Amino acid sequence: MKFDRIYVEQSILDHPRTQTILASNPKAEIIHCERYGEVFNPKSQNFRFQKRKPALIIARKEGQRILPTPPDYGLGADMHFYFSHMLNCLYDCRYCFLQGMYQSANYVLFPNYEDFIQDIDATRIKHPEKELFFFSGYDCDSLAMESLTGFTDVFLPYFEDHPKAWLELRTKSVNISHLLDRSPIENVVVAFSLNPDSIAKSLELKAPPLAARLKAAEKLAQAGWKIGLRIDPIVCVSDAKEHYNQFLDTVWQHLPSPAIHSATLGSFRSPTSVFRRMENLYPEEPLFMKGMKNQNGMVAYEPSVETDLRKSVWDGLASKLPESRIFSCS
Amino acid sequence: MLFLVTALDCEARPLISHFELKLSGSHGRAQFFRNANTALVITGTGSTKSAIGTTALGLSEGIQAPSAWINIGICGHADLPVGTALLANKISSDASKEGFYPQCPWDHKWRGCALRTLSEPSFEYEENVAFDMEANGYYQAALRFASSECIHCLKIVSDNKEHPATRKMDKEAISQLVESQLANIEKFSSTILESVVAYKQPPWLDDLLRNAKDILRLTSTESVNLKKALGQWERLSDDLNELAAKELIENQPKKEVFRLLEANIQKLASNRLK
């Protein structure tokens, strides 16, 4: 990946991963900053404009690197955590909370992976009897920028050595060659974010088409990797039930039930302030106009709009998967 | 609208001539020039004057979308040749710890450079940074009127270690430096103005809302909601016109107006979301 501009925090300039990225971008303007927040956080920025050509910010992740997930988000392990080695994503999904949460669409990369690993290890040691699940890909796509980040090169070997700790790589990417080049790891789930093709085309901009994602998932499953299905958020389009039924039929054609570690079903939900920013960025976007209700500081679909669809998709998943492998995120 | 900010008359002259601007007013010593699409202010030298002139221009024109703001002027740099044009990618000053990072998701031909605004003229140079006397004040002032991606500083090297600044400026040489960048300035500003997506509400909407407020006896919140709903309806509909909107508002009770609007929006949004 090439960038026109790379911002670098002084404290991470000498890190080998920083140096590798800078060396592979010899034409980029290198701009030094003290803390990445000086570049990333100022309010007078426009996420939509920056999305045209995001810059890269390389920073040291300080403070709490591993965070517990909210109580409703889990895959049945004893404890669930998430961490973000990057902020922002290569793709431009119209429903994504990132566009409303951050002022800037620039990518922030935290290359001090060793600190993340240290914190994951400390968490694991603190809970020796528990099964722990660590989610990457909450504030970014886990695999889409692998050629830049080298994320899996560092994190997969760690999880391979610690089988009681699980890792989820959440992605829409078909960038899987580095996974296929190695043996699958029992406690790593490659979780694909999926939606019906028509929704992917209209709302998951710049992301690979559904067919390509399913093909990537199929290849990984054949190679022995555990696959996750992440239908999050469900989008209430016209004839949504039909779209989702057809979509699940397509999924089953590619992925037999035993290959699927888990499926999750999520609803569109957003803090009101984040939703307002998304609306302001894309005032022409019908997604933000249809069937949404603002209640108790959160914007979500009205139950009358979503409940039936959600049940239908759940039933569709349950027709092929045991319910113990289906999880709800709402 | 393109907004140009210069400190000196000799920096402004080539721009005034190229964009065919006419004197349009003043604020203190700051002078305004404009045509239909471009406005320029000559602020005088120094960060404070630049901030005042920029603010005055912005206030006189109002917040416009799309807009592009460019501060154009000369700078010193240790080793870059005279005539090198630099687009500031970081703006700092000797008067404050705060730094600014103009965001540039647009293509351009210029070299990027850190820029430090000095309070006093200096004849000393540092490596890897250009020096001027206005950018910091200008940039902070312009942030009131546009987002970072649309506010830029273009500085052309007028002096360096080999050709140090002198107390007396060669105004003609400065004009020539600016003139050498006119084509790039025009292209860059067009790129911004064409790329910036700005939703323009239909010209009749404000009048309609004023009428609706009287006819339907709307509260402030209801007015805001009606404006939002009419805007959504207009963006979703290919053929919404003033007459149709007027008919809806003038012939129904308030509750029914909102119900019908909501129903229309839901239907149109459903049709779009397939």
Side-chain angles (χ1 to χ4, degrees), chain B residues 37-256:
Chain B
N37 310 311
T38 305
L40 179 146
V41 59
I42 304 173
T43 63
T45 306
S47 188
T48 306
K49 281 184 186 166
S50 189
I52 291 168
T54 301
T55 304
L57 180 66
L59 290 175
S60 73
E61 297 288 342
I63 291 177
Q64 306 224 2
S67 70
W69 287 76
I70 312 178
N71 168 217
I72 298 163
I74 53 168
C75 68
H77 191 282
D79 45 26
L80 288 176
V82 171
T84 307
L86 304 170
L87 192 69
N89 54 31
K90 176 178 182 176
I91 298 170
S92 60
S93 88
D94 60 359
S96 148
K97 279 187 176 174
E98 201 175 6
F100 299 94
Y101 298 84
Q103 296 297 310
C104 193
W106 328 111
D107 291 330
H108 63 85
K109 301 268 185 198
W110 298 304
R111 178 179 180 145
C113 189
L115 178 64
R116 188 175 309 150
T117 299
L118 302 177
S119 318
E120 300 289 336
S122 167
F123 301 96
E124 290 171 12
Y125 300 94
E126 274 178 45
E127 300 297 315
N128 300 321
V129 60
F131 293 92
D132 86 331
M133 293 188 68
E134 286 82 30
N136 195 265
Y138 148 80
Y139 191 82
Q140 291 189 64
L143 281 173
R144 284 183 63 183
F145 305 106
S147 69
S148 173
E149 302 77 19
C150 303
I151 306 172
H152 292 282
C153 294
L154 175 69
K155 298 287 163 171
I156 307 155
V157 177
S158 62
D159 54 273
N160 54 30
K161 273 184 190 166
E162 254 182 56
H163 304 280
T166 53
R167 297 218 173 262
K168 189 167 166 38
M169 285 187 293
D170 182 343
K171 291 178 186 174
E172 188 141 331
I174 292 171
S175 289
Q176 280 172 10
L177 290 176
V178 173
E179 196 161 352
S180 71
Q181 294 304 320
L182 287 173
N184 287 337
I185 291 167
E186 180 148 7
K187 193 167 179 210
F188 182 60
S189 57
S190 299
T191 300
I192 298 177
L193 293 171
E194 285 162 15
S195 308
V196 167
V197 186
Y199 164 66
K200 282 194 177 164
Q201 68 175 40
W204 44 264
L205 187 59
D206 279 338
D207 277 345
L208 187 81
L209 284 165
R210 262 191 298 276
N211 281 344
K213 201 169 176 181
D214 291 338
I215 295 168
L216 301 173
R217 294 171 178 269
L218 298 174
T219 64
S220 299
T221 307
E222 286 168 341
S223 293
V224 170
N225 290 342
L226 182 65
K227 185 174 183 179
K228 183 178 173 185
L230 282 169
Q232 290 186 332
W233 185 19
E234 198 269 335
R235 289 190 289 277
L236 288 171
S237 166
D238 295 328
D239 55 2
L240 175 65
N241 55 35
E242 184 177 8
L243 202 65
K246 215 171 162 185
E247 200 176 299
L248 175 84
I249 280 164
E250 289 182 355
N251 296 325
Q252 323 285 338
K254 179 161 68 179
K255 212 171 165 184
E256 188 62 4

Side-chain angles (χ1 to χ4, degrees), chain A residues 5 38 44 53 238 283 290, chain B residues 101-102 107 148-149 235 270:
Chain A
R5 282 186 172 187
E38 296 167 21
S44 293
K53 200 202 277 185
S238 306
K290 187 178 180 298
Chain B
Y101 298 84
D107 291 330
S148 173
E149 302 77 19
R235 289 190 289 277
S270 291

